[in-house]
Amino acid sequence: MYKVSPGRFLGYTYENMQNDLGILARIFPEIIQIDSLGKTEDQRELYHFYIGSANAPKKILIFGGIHGREYMTSQLIMEQTTEFLMKLCRTQDKEYAKILEGKAIHVVPMVNPDGVTISQRGAMGIKNPDLKNLVEEIALREGGRHPQGSYFHRWKANAKGVDLNRNFDALWETCEDAVQEPSRENYKGPKPESEIESRALAELTRREEFQRTISYHSSGAVIYWDFYQQGQLRVQTWEFAKKIGDITGYVPQENTREQSSGGYKDWALLKMEIPSLTIEIGRQESPLPASCFEEIFMENRGVWEGTLMSF
């Protein structure tokens, strides 16, 4: 089976993903359709692809890499993609393909490629001189001197210092923002969807009208599903969380309303009324070590299938 290509020293990079997408496009040209939602501030593509019919009446969204240091989620999604495509092609009696009938899977494997690059390469990974200067200024301000190594490894934000998972219109105005300026983490931005990446994800969601969404994060090995939803939406989201929890072994967390607002899952529930989950992979601090990937991949086998069969 073809394996995605993690970087030897950096972890799974934007360039690894580009290469893997090119390989999948050549191997499965009639099954996977790849495009871009636009370019980031540092001119990296926001790759998006779908499997199934573009006009399918029922669709799901799976994405990862919205936080720079959580790039293992992108590696996981690309590995899941490879396995799913292989199963679709290898199943001789087409039983496996039946779960995709009338449905489509939309995927954004790396929502924040600029942030991933900063986490892996530091400010030197940014090509635009103005953005590079901003990243260096943030580092100097937050470190007291030019930080080395571990400071950049823990970078969550995009290249403008905005935490993309606090940049959605879900009680954004009440979201606690202790930093109130561009930062390595936690700055919610000047307004909801102020960033190219968060706006692209929201526009995709509005356009495709998904029935289920999954946001992959790391770490914690838990599933967040609760954000003020009521009635049938709450029941559906809980049932979805329990199903995915049974597959992964991760514990669905109730009473998570104190979690910071402004996240994609929060917005998808509150404004779009879509049963949506945040899945936190791994049990160590991000960026997760490469040694834990195989275990995480095995835990998340079946998540795509379980999501497709949850509605």
Side-chain angles (χ1 to χ4, degrees):
M1 174 178 160
Y2 169 71
K3 291 282 188 179
V4 300
S5 51
R8 185 176 176 190
F9 302 109
L10 299 176
Y12 194 71
T13 66
Y14 171 74
E15 291 76 18
N16 290 148
M17 180 188 65
Q18 276 189 312
N19 181 66
D20 290 334
L21 286 172
I23 292 171
L24 293 179
R26 290 193 296 274
I27 297 174
F28 307 102
E30 297 180 0
I31 304 176
I32 185 170
Q33 306 299 320
I34 304 171
D35 57 25
S36 172
L37 302 178
K39 290 189 177 183
T40 66
E41 294 285 351
D42 204 38
Q43 298 302 297
R44 291 178 179 85
E45 299 287 351
L46 293 173
Y47 286 108
H48 156 264
F49 60 85
Y50 66 88
I51 300 168
S53 171
N55 300 316
K58 297 180 179 179
K59 305 170 188 176
I60 68 172
L61 171 66
I62 297 172
F63 71 85
I66 197 168
H67 284 147
R69 67 193 187 201
E70 299 177 13
Y71 44 82
M72 188 173 283
T73 61
S74 301
Q75 183 182 358
L76 171 63
I77 288 172
M78 291 300 295
E79 195 74 59
Q80 290 171 317
T81 302
T82 301
E83 183 170 74
F84 191 85
L85 290 169
M86 294 293 284
K87 286 179 178 177
L88 278 175
C89 289
R90 285 181 176 175
T91 303
Q92 308 235 336
D93 59 3
K94 303 301 179 184
E95 283 296 316
Y96 192 83
K98 286 184 179 179
I99 65 172
L100 198 56
E101 287 181 357
K103 298 177 181 178
I105 305 168
H106 287 251
V107 181
V108 184
M110 189 179 288
V111 176
N112 183 11
D114 291 352
V116 167
T117 301
I118 295 168
S119 175
Q120 293 170 336
R121 295 189 171 99
M124 295 302 295
I126 297 301
K127 299 169 286 187
N128 181 292
D130 292 336
L131 283 175
K132 181 175 177 289
N133 288 340
L134 174 61
V135 170
E136 289 176 338
E137 287 169 9
I138 292 170
L140 285 166
R141 170 166 44 80
E142 295 185 342
R145 57 186 177 82
H146 201 293
Q148 301 295 322
S150 61
Y151 174 86
F152 285 113
H153 291 335
R154 298 280 293 162
W155 190 276
K156 287 180 73 176
N158 67 358
K160 290 172 62 183
V162 175
D163 185 330
L164 296 175
N165 207 45
R166 291 186 165 208
N167 193 234
F168 292 88
D169 188 16
L171 304 183
W172 178 89
E173 63 281 356
T174 65
C175 180
E176 182 180 348
D177 189 353
V179 291
Q180 298 184 339
E181 60 183 339
S183 174
R184 177 179 73 172
E185 54 191 338
N186 297 333
Y187 175 51
K188 66 181 184 181
K191 63 180 181 180
E193 295 182 33
S194 62
E195 305 309 295
I196 291 172
E197 302 92 339
S198 54
R199 187 164 60 253
L201 203 57
E203 288 175 351
L204 175 69
T205 305
R206 285 188 283 261
R207 181 174 75 244
E208 299 295 343
E209 299 181 342
F210 299 112
Q211 276 67 48
R212 298 288 186 273
T213 80
I214 287 178
S215 317
Y216 266 116
H217 286 252
S218 65
S219 56
V222 296
I223 298 171
Y224 294 120
W225 65 276
D226 182 12
F227 195 77
Y228 298 100
Q229 71 269 44
Q230 298 177 352
Q232 188 63 18
L233 177 60
R234 184 171 185 82
V235 172
Q236 290 175 341
T237 312
W238 164 244
E239 290 175 348
F240 182 26
K242 188 176 183 304
K243 188 178 190 71
I244 300 303
D246 289 343
I247 292 169
T248 60
Y250 303 159
V251 179
Q253 293 286 315
E254 297 187 57
N255 302 319
T256 59
R257 295 175 184 180
E258 278 100 29
Q259 296 290 327
S260 28
S261 48
Y264 173 88
K265 178 266 296 174
D266 309 332
W267 171 79
L269 283 166
L270 194 66
K271 295 298 176 72
M272 302 301 292
E273 298 186 350
I274 306 168
S276 298
L277 307 178
T278 292
I279 302 179
E280 297 274 1
I281 63 170
R283 295 167 177 82
Q284 302 178 53
E285 283 193 348
S286 296
L288 295 170
S291 59
C292 70
F293 178 75
E294 287 302 323
E295 178 183 9
I296 289 170
F297 176 61
M298 293 302 294
E299 289 171 342
N300 284 271
R301 259 186 166 160
V303 166
W304 287 32
E305 294 86 345
T307 302
L308 287 167
M309 292 187 289
S310 69
F311 61 98

